[in-house]
């Protein structure tokens, strides 16, 4: 009996932030289930030194598949390897971070293992008489408790919903001999382009977001400056992405990304229900808007009724002062 | 090109979400239903564009009861050629994917599209499950897709970037913003949709792997603390000292 956790990494073998969180979550789940082993499985170029860090987050053992055929992601081939490893170590519960990799991988793994899945878990399971995991539904407007009836279970964890918990320790790293061959890879990766060096929005703990109130794309300089100062990612509302003031991968809301950062600063965004659906699980929401009647103020923790062009530069000065 | 587009119905984006039966059921009273936005705007429209460019046909499939017919007719009005409704109330992603897989196995589709997650249960699992059941590749979060012969070149979103991949048919792709532009059905399309075939087929038996035992609405936020516009430094102080987020 064990909990298997999938470790996501970049093509150059660096562990993603989501992987540390997934291991922390798996360790807590294993504890709740009566002290099971936490076995991490990494497929890709990451070496033993990189992988042994996972011990400090609660992994008891790390299995690695480091074969050049699997250095780039193929959901079908990876699902075969993950399922094979789960069978091999006798894992009943699998934890997979539901980032862009996990969204392609976890549903396939669930089908292979005939496991029930909670796709987008936001809390640790409750394991008394039933195995139940909470997830966000209706685009953040409600929560639902999913009970899984199958003997094997897949928990696909929403990034930033549990956090990384680091303590002491390092994990033994072993090779996992998979029977899955290079012929299982059907998707050829031609190139990977980074949008920028900035923090990926789904992983960001702090987010500075702006909307139509900024009047034009040329005014985003102060938004980017504030985000840089705070170490935050930038985001935007749908109308702004629709008119190409900002790239669409910054669009948060019901039809864009759903995020749950520690801090969401909304500047010049009125707070239509579709936008709120994407951000209302943020821990702290700050709204800056000229219109005191903007619906966003009802969903905010802190607010300033004022002109962004006057307020934001003053905030930037105050943050600079704080960071001194 | 034989193209399948999976569509589902969801509450309108502005719908008020409430629950009944002791918070165990979604209360559908007064809910307006729409086609899931990413299914309609990206999956369906890109499917139709590929058909117009390369020939072939577009079939839409829905797992649902007769209250889905209005969104199916809309898909036909936008430009799908025919439709299949698998007659069952969806239980969970596994149930829906199993139904579509049972239908699609006998049909030789080249490309199967889904949208990004539905805006009701937000699981984003049907596409991946369907691909596994059919044992074909799955490209998630596609923002661009071009076909040349039997090979597709697809841009898919990854954390903070884009991965460009190549894959041969048949495959499943889930579409999101960038893949296509929303199409509004015109009067001719709406008239033609009435005569296009909508076949209702029975569902297959599927084991229930998951169920929702309880819903809960998020706690209301306590009222907003307003800071004077002349003193934004106070906001920074509150975020640092009170909320402790910066």
């Amino acid at each position: 009996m064990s909990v298997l956790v999938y470790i996501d990494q970049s093509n150059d073998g660096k562990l993603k932030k989501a992987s540390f969180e997934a291991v922390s979550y798996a360790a807590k789940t294993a504890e709740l289930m009566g002290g099971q082993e936490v076995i991490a499985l990494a497929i890709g170029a990451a070496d033993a030194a990189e992988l042994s860090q996972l011990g400090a987050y609660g992994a008891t053992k790390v299995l690695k598949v480091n074969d050049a055929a699997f250095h780039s992601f193929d959901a079908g081939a990876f699902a075969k390897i993950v399922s094979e490893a789960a069978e091999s170590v006798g894992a009943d519960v699998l934890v997979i971070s539901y980032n862009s990799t996990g969204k392609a991988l976890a549903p396939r793994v669930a089908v292979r293992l005939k496991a029930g899945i909670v796709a987008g878990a936001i809390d640790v399971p409750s394991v008394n008489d039933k195995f139940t995991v909470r997830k966000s539904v209706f685009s953040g407007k409600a929560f639902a408790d999913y009970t899984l009836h199958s003997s094997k279970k897949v928990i696909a964890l929403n990034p930033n919903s549990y956090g990384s918990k680091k303590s002491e320790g390092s994990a033994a790293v072993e090779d996992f001999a998979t029977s899955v061959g290079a012929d299982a890879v059907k998707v050829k990766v031609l190139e990977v382009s980074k949008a920028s060096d900035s923090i990926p929005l789904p992983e960001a703990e702090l987010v500075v977001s702006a909307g139509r109130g900024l009047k034009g794309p040329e005014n985003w300089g102060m938004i980017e400056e504030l985000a840089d100062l705070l170490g935050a990612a930038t985001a935007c509302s749908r109308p702004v992405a629709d008119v190409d003031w900002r790239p669409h991968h910054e669009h948060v809301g019901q039809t864009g990304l759903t995020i749950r950062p520690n801090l969401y600063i909304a500047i010049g965004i009125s707070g239509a229900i579709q936008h709120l659906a994407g951000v209302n699980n943020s821990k702290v929401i700050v709204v800056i808007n000229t219109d005191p009647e903007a619906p966003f103020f009802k969903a905010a923790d802190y607010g300033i009724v004022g002109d962004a062009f006057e307020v934001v530069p003053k905030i930037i000065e105050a943050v600079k002062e704080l960071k001194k | 090109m034989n193209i399948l587009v999976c569509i589902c119905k969801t509450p309108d984006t502005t719908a008020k979400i409430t629950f009944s039966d002791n918070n165990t059921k979604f209360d559908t009273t007064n809910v307006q239903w729409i086609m899931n936005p990413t299914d309609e705007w990206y999956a369906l429209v890109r499917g139709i564009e590929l058909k117009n460019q390369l020939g072939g046909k577009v079939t839409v499939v829905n797992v649902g009861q007769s209250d889905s017919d209005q969104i199916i007719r809309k898909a036909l009005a936008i430009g799908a050629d025919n439709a299949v409704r698998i007659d069952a109330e969806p239980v969970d992603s596994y149930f829906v994917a199993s139904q579509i897989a049972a239908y699609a196995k006998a049909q030789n589709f080249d490309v199967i599209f889904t949208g990004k997650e539905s805006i009701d249960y937000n699981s984003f699992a049907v596409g991946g499950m369907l691909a596994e059941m059919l044992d074909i590749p799955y490209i998630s979060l596609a923002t661009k897709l071009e076909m040349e012969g039997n090979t597709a070149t697809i841009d898919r979103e990854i954390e903070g970037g884009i991965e460009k991949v190549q894959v041969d048919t048949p495959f499943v792709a889930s579409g999101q913003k960038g893949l296509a532009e929303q199409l509004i059905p015109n009067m001719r399309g709406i008239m033609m949709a009435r005569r296009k075939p909508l076949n209702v087929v029975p569902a297959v038996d599927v084991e229930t792997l998951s169920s929702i035992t309880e819903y809960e609405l998020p706690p209301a936020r306590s009222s907003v603390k307003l800071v004077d516009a002349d003193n934004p430094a106070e906001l920074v102080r509150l975020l640092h000292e009170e909320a402790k987020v910066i």
Side-chain angles (χ1 to χ4, degrees), chain B residues 117-135:
Chain B
E117 67 190 53
S118 69
I119 60 170
D120 48 7
Y121 292 97
N122 308 102
S123 283
F124 199 11
V126 169
M129 288 182 167
L130 182 58
E132 188 62 37
M133 289 167 183
L134 299 173
D135 196 20

Side-chain angles (χ1 to χ4, degrees), chain A residues 98 100 108 112 114 135 138-139 143 145 147 149 188 190-191 193 195 242 282 299 301-303, chain B residues 13 116 120-123 132 136 159-160 162 164 166 177 207 209 211 213-214 216 221 225 227 242:
Chain A
Y98 218 38
S100 61
R108 295 196 76 131
R112 284 195 82 80
K114 210 162 186 236
K135 95 175 204 78
F138 297 103
S139 306
F143 303 116
D145 292 331
T147 298
H149 308 292
K188 191 170 142 198
L190 302 177
E191 60 174 314
S193 47
D242 277 351
S282 307
D301 301 283
Y302 300 98
Chain B
T13 54
K116 192 184 154 176
D120 48 7
Y121 292 97
N122 308 102
S123 283
E132 188 62 37
I136 58 177
E159 269 75 40
I162 293 288
K164 188 182 280 300
Q166 220 165 47
K177 196 160 186 159
E207 193 184 329
L209 298 183
S211 52
T213 34
E214 196 178 345
E216 192 180 308
R221 280 182 193 267
K225 194 178 264 188
V227 174
E242 187 177 86

Side-chain angles (χ1 to χ4, degrees), chain A residues 7-8 66 89 102 172 178 294 301 307 317 320:
Chain A
I7 302 303
D8 195 26
N66 186 349
V89 302
T178 178
D301 301 283
D307 184 347
E317 287 315 309
K320 277 183 182 160

Side-chain angles (χ1 to χ4, degrees), chain B residues 18-230:
Chain B
T18 55
F19 303 103
S20 61
D21 293 20
N22 225 355
N23 285 331
T24 58
K25 284 202 174 65
F26 172 49
D27 185 357
T28 56
T29 320
N30 299 325
V31 168
Q32 296 280 331
W33 299 101
I34 58 167
M35 197 183 330
N36 185 48
T38 55
D39 298 353
E40 178 186 331
W41 303 342
Y42 313 125
L44 176 62
V45 175
R46 191 63 193 137
I48 292 166
E49 288 170 352
L50 286 178
K51 180 201 82 168
N52 291 343
Q53 183 192 333
L54 306 163
K57 78 176 178 175
V58 174
T59 303
V60 288
V61 63
N62 168 263
V63 179
Q65 297 180 318
S66 57
D67 56 358
S68 282
D69 287 352
Q70 51 144 336
I71 66 140
I72 297 173
R73 288 288 172 205
K74 185 176 184 192
L76 293 169
I78 292 172
D81 298 289
N82 64 316
V84 173
R85 177 164 64 78
I86 303 170
D87 196 17
E89 191 59 25
V91 178
D92 61 9
S93 305
Y94 183 75
F95 178 90
V96 171
S98 300
Q99 300 300 340
I100 298 173
Y103 161 74
K105 261 181 187 142
Q107 301 286 329
N108 290 320
F109 290 108
D110 298 303
V111 180
I112 301 178
F113 282 111
T114 70
K116 192 184 154 176
E117 67 190 53
S118 69
I119 60 170
D120 48 7
Y121 292 97
N122 308 102
S123 283
F124 199 11
V126 169
M129 288 182 167
L130 182 58
E132 188 62 37
M133 289 167 183
L134 299 173
D135 196 20
I136 58 177
Y138 174 49
I139 314 300
S140 60
L141 297 168
T143 58
K144 193 177 172 202
L145 185 152
E146 299 293 343
M147 294 294 308
E148 206 177 309
N150 292 326
T151 303
T153 304
I154 303 173
D155 285 358
R156 67 177 281 261
E157 190 175 292
I158 56 172
E159 269 75 40
I162 293 288
E163 192 172 72
K164 188 182 280 300
V165 302
Q166 220 165 47
V167 65
D168 291 338
T169 59
F171 61 84
V172 178
S174 55
Q176 65 158 339
K177 196 160 186 159
L179 189 67
E181 296 282 339
Q182 183 179 5
L183 274 181
I184 309 291
N186 57 28
M187 192 43 80
R188 184 163 167 271
I190 294 167
M191 298 301 283
M192 279 169 62
R194 293 186 189 159
R195 292 194 300 274
K196 288 178 178 172
L198 191 176
N199 296 322
V200 179
V201 301
V204 294
D205 285 334
V206 175
E207 193 184 329
T208 301
L209 298 183
S210 71
S211 52
I212 293 175
T213 34
E214 196 178 345
Y215 291 98
E216 192 180 308
L217 292 170
R221 280 182 193 267
S222 51
S223 59
V224 57
K225 194 178 264 188
L226 285 178
V227 174
D228 192 69
D230 295 327

